[in-house]
Amino acid sequence: MNLEGKRFLITGGTGSFGSTVCKYLLKKNVNEIRIFSRDENKQYQMRRKIQDSRLSFSIGDIRDFDSVYNAMKGCKVVFHLAALIGIPYSYISPVAYLKTNVEGTYNVLEAARRLKIKNVIVTSTSEVYGSAKYLPINENHPINSQSPYAASKAAADQLAMSFYRSFNLPVKIIRPFNIYGPRQSQRAIIPTIISQTLNKSKNITLGNVKPTRDFNYVLDVVDAFIKIMNSKKAIGQVLNVGSNKKISISYLCNEILKIAKIKKNLKISTERK
């Protein structure tokens, strides 16, 4: 796809991943990028850091159809990144995840259908697969959601595919595996290990360090998103984005300590957080 002159909407565009997508697109000769989010403070901070006349902001809640519809008017491509994330809170308030992740995705899909948007990228998650039945996990792996968060994303995926099959909406679903990079939440495992590496404690305390993960640098994931956006073959498809390499948490911890040239003991905590 030729990006020149195109208008883009990025829902949840003030997040760490959304802002990285935005910066990438601004390097191209795009006409306009609209950032849709409900966090006015983050929009203000982003406007200060990225001073570009092609960047505009729209305040709104993904759960409100009218604000989504109005923000999408005139756009050619939609990156739907807005979501309620984080697994622990989904056990406390599952309905919040349904309203944001399922109803919010419906609003994006319905607005895109009415406005005849030609390129709709829906962001899913590898969490929908649950514990791996086999490795590497491919797109044919059974869906086995093990948290309300994962279930809400799986439901949003099915809704998106139904809009493709029922209304021929040009939807592309992307399931990234563990993204890391600048501005990542401190709750994530890599920032957690780095912060404990740099503090004054003699130990790094983690939970189960045996599980393996497929870690992917944010710019590599953005590159995959752009390639999928440009692919007509991706319409109506679910596509995993990952390195196809597994790394255990213990190995990850040791590598970070090695890079930092710091020696600490790894302690295993049995406490559930």
Side-chain angles (χ1 to χ4, degrees), residues 59-177:
I59 294 286
D61 194 310
I62 199 68
R63 297 170 296 181
D64 174 46
F65 177 79
D66 289 340
S67 59
V68 173
Y69 180 86
N70 290 329
M72 202 179 293
K73 286 180 179 177
C75 293
K76 297 295 183 183
V77 182
V78 175
F79 284 94
H80 177 38
L81 306 177
L84 189 55
I85 61 172
I87 294 173
Y89 184 60
S90 74
Y91 297 118
I92 298 170
S93 182
V95 71
Y97 286 74
L98 292 176
K99 289 181 177 179
T100 301
N101 297 346
V102 182
E103 186 177 346
T105 298
Y106 163 77
N107 290 336
V108 169
L109 297 169
E110 179 61 16
R113 182 178 77 87
R114 295 188 189 184
L115 293 167
K116 297 180 170 52
I117 304 296
K118 299 300 182 183
N119 209 335
V120 183
I121 294 91
V122 174
T123 310
S124 181
T125 171
S126 60
E127 286 290 336
V128 301
Y129 297 121
S131 299
K133 305 294 183 183
Y134 57 82
L135 292 173
I137 294 174
N138 59 22
E139 291 83 355
N140 294 321
H141 189 283
I143 301 299
N144 183 32
S145 302
Q146 294 173 315
S147 67
Y149 161 67
S152 71
K153 296 296 282 185
D157 293 350
Q158 287 298 307
L159 187 62
M161 289 305 298
S162 77
F163 268 68
Y164 165 70
R165 297 185 182 112
S166 301
F167 309 116
N168 203 29
L169 186 68
V171 170
K172 302 166 183 177
I173 298 174
I174 301 178
R175 288 184 183 146
F177 286 71

Side-chain angles (χ1 to χ4, degrees), residues 2-273:
N2 182 8
L3 302 183
E4 187 173 345
K6 295 287 191 299
R7 286 187 174 90
F8 294 79
L9 176 69
I10 305 177
T11 72
T14 55
S16 59
F17 186 74
S19 60
T20 307
V21 173
C22 176
K23 289 176 183 177
Y24 176 93
L25 291 173
L26 286 172
K27 293 178 182 177
K28 309 298 179 181
N29 193 24
V30 300
N31 185 289
E32 181 186 355
I33 299 173
R34 295 178 189 168
I35 300 297
F36 178 87
S37 77
R38 64 179 183 178
D39 194 322
E40 192 170 2
N41 182 56
K42 283 187 177 180
Q43 289 193 8
Y44 172 75
Q45 295 297 331
M46 191 171 177
R47 185 182 290 111
R48 287 186 60 192
K49 290 179 181 178
I50 309 174
Q51 296 184 8
D52 193 306
S53 61
R54 296 170 297 165
L55 184 61
S56 64
F57 295 86
S58 179
I59 294 286
D61 194 310
I62 199 68
R63 297 170 296 181
D64 174 46
F65 177 79
D66 289 340
S67 59
V68 173
Y69 180 86
N70 290 329
M72 202 179 293
K73 286 180 179 177
C75 293
K76 297 295 183 183
V77 182
V78 175
F79 284 94
H80 177 38
L81 306 177
L84 189 55
I85 61 172
I87 294 173
Y89 184 60
S90 74
Y91 297 118
I92 298 170
S93 182
V95 71
Y97 286 74
L98 292 176
K99 289 181 177 179
T100 301
N101 297 346
V102 182
E103 186 177 346
T105 298
Y106 163 77
N107 290 336
V108 169
L109 297 169
E110 179 61 16
R113 182 178 77 87
R114 295 188 189 184
L115 293 167
K116 297 180 170 52
I117 304 296
K118 299 300 182 183
N119 209 335
V120 183
I121 294 91
V122 174
T123 310
S124 181
T125 171
S126 60
E127 286 290 336
V128 301
Y129 297 121
S131 299
K133 305 294 183 183
Y134 57 82
L135 292 173
I137 294 174
N138 59 22
E139 291 83 355
N140 294 321
H141 189 283
I143 301 299
N144 183 32
S145 302
Q146 294 173 315
S147 67
Y149 161 67
S152 71
K153 296 296 282 185
D157 293 350
Q158 287 298 307
L159 187 62
M161 289 305 298
S162 77
F163 268 68
Y164 165 70
R165 297 185 182 112
S166 301
F167 309 116
N168 203 29
L169 186 68
V171 170
K172 302 166 183 177
I173 298 174
I174 301 178
R175 288 184 183 146
F177 286 71
N178 305 72
I179 303 173
Y180 71 94
R183 297 182 62 213
Q184 187 177 17
S185 167
Q186 290 299 308
R187 297 190 307 268
I189 187 63
I190 290 179
T192 294
I193 295 172
I194 291 174
S195 63
Q196 291 193 51
T197 297
L198 299 178
N199 69 22
K200 295 181 180 180
S201 173
K202 295 181 180 179
N203 302 311
I204 291 180
T205 305
L206 300 173
N208 189 355
V209 296
K210 292 182 179 179
T212 58
R213 297 288 184 266
D214 183 342
F215 291 102
N216 301 275
Y217 187 58
V218 62
L219 291 179
D220 294 328
V221 179
V222 170
D223 183 62
F225 267 65
I226 300 302
K227 287 177 178 176
I228 291 169
M229 178 196 73
N230 286 329
S231 172
K232 291 184 178 179
K233 291 182 179 179
I235 294 174
Q237 300 296 315
V238 177
L239 296 165
N240 290 347
V241 170
S243 67
N244 207 24
K245 297 177 182 177
K246 61 180 182 177
I247 299 174
S248 71
I249 304 303
S250 60
Y251 178 84
L252 173 67
C253 182
N254 289 328
E255 285 299 297
I256 290 173
L257 287 169
K258 192 183 300 181
I259 292 168
K261 297 180 180 179
I262 293 173
K263 291 184 178 181
K264 290 196 175 188
N265 299 315
L266 176 58
K267 288 184 65 177
I268 310 301
S269 171
T270 57
E271 282 187 38
R272 296 191 66 183
K273 295 184 180 181

